[in-house]
Structures are given as structure tokens and as C-alpha cells.
Amino acid sequence: MKISIKYPSEALDKPIFSTAILKTNTKVNVLRATIDGVSTEMLLDVEDSKVKKFTEFLQGYDIKVSEIRQGIYIDTELCIDCGACCSLCPTKALYMEANSLKLDESKCILCKNCIQGCWVGALEMQD
Ligand code: SF4
Ligand code: SF4
């Protein structure tokens, strides 16, 4: 499951993220991170069975946790399967198969590169 977490500035000097992984024995994949010295925001892929425990641990340190329900939607009426968006996708979540555009949602990091790159407007972010 994908979740986003946001640290307040007061928590930046503590190893809360790594402690959460160790204490809850959770496998976490960091899909995206923004660290600017003021706050930290991360998009994470957390194993489904551990999400609740992992989330509760972080919330105990006042870290904001949100479940991500958004995803890329392909309007197949508009898409002409040109493949242009595939080269803009950093994780290869978008790919061509048998001359048809496909999406592997598990690989999508919600960067929106593809939306900006589709010249016919066939892609959008949906809840
Ligand atoms: S760039 Fe647009 S039209 Fe081309 S394959 Fe991607 S979604 Fe379809
Ligand atoms: S939002 Fe980013 S990662 Fe997801 S399909 Fe589009 S380009 Fe790929």
C-alpha cells in the first residue's frame, strides 16, 4: 500500500523513520522523497499487512500519515498508443505491450511526468 508521510521540522534530527522500520519489522520502499531542511515528505510503498502498525508508530511521533488512493487513469478513447509517455516515466510503470499502452500501478510514484507529456491529454490523476 502507498502512503505519504510528512515530518514536522522538530522531528528532523531524530531517526524516527529507521526506528519505525526496525521496531515494526516492516519492509518499506521509498518511492519519492523531498527533504529541504524544513520538513521531510516521503511517498512510501509499505507491505499491506504492516501498514497499520507502521502508521501508528509514526503517528506516535506526530508524523502525518496519509493513505494514497490516487492513481494514473488512461483514457483509452483518447490514447493513440504512441508510446511517448513511456519514455517520460522514471519507473517504467508505463510500458507498451503488443502496441498498446499498459500501466503497472505498483511501480507508479505519482510524479505526473506522463500527464504533462501526453500531447492528446489522455492521462490524468484520479482518486
Ligand atoms: S503519450 Fe498519450 S497518447 Fe501517447 S501512449 Fe501515452 S497516453 Fe497514449
Ligand atoms: S505518474 Fe510518474 S511514475 Fe506514474 S505512470 Fe506517470 S510518469 Fe510513471
Side-chain angles (χ1 to χ4, degrees), residues 14-123:
K14 302 180 184 76
I16 299 169
F17 180 58
S18 56
T19 306
I21 291 171
L22 290 170
K23 291 274 186 188
T24 63
N25 192 27
T26 303
K27 289 179 185 157
V28 177
N29 189 20
V30 180
L31 299 175
R32 212 173 66 212
T34 306
I35 302 167
D36 60 11
V38 178
S39 64
T40 294
E41 285 187 69
M42 291 187 193
L43 177 65
L44 307 173
D45 189 9
V46 181
E47 56 183 317
D48 289 356
S49 61
K50 299 285 181 65
V51 167
K52 188 170 182 291
K53 206 172 170 187
F54 187 72
T55 296
E56 286 172 354
F57 185 93
L58 292 174
Q59 288 171 334
Y61 288 89
D62 288 333
I63 291 175
K64 189 177 172 193
V65 182
S66 310
E67 186 180 330
I68 300 294
R69 295 184 179 275
Q70 291 178 314
I72 292 292
Y73 167 75
I74 304 170
D75 186 333
T76 53
E77 296 291 314
L78 291 176
C79 177
I80 58 169
D81 297 309
C82 69
C85 53
C86 299
S87 60
L88 300 171
C89 180
T91 61
K92 307 296 178 207
L94 286 167
Y95 60 98
M96 297 299 292
E97 189 175 272
N99 294 322
S100 178
L101 181 66
K102 306 286 182 201
L103 171 65
D104 181 345
E105 287 185 31
S106 67
K107 291 185 177 177
C108 178
I109 59 170
L110 309 174
C111 67
K112 301 183 183 174
N113 283 358
C114 54
I115 295 175
Q116 291 157 10
C118 177
W119 53 293
V120 299
L123 299 170

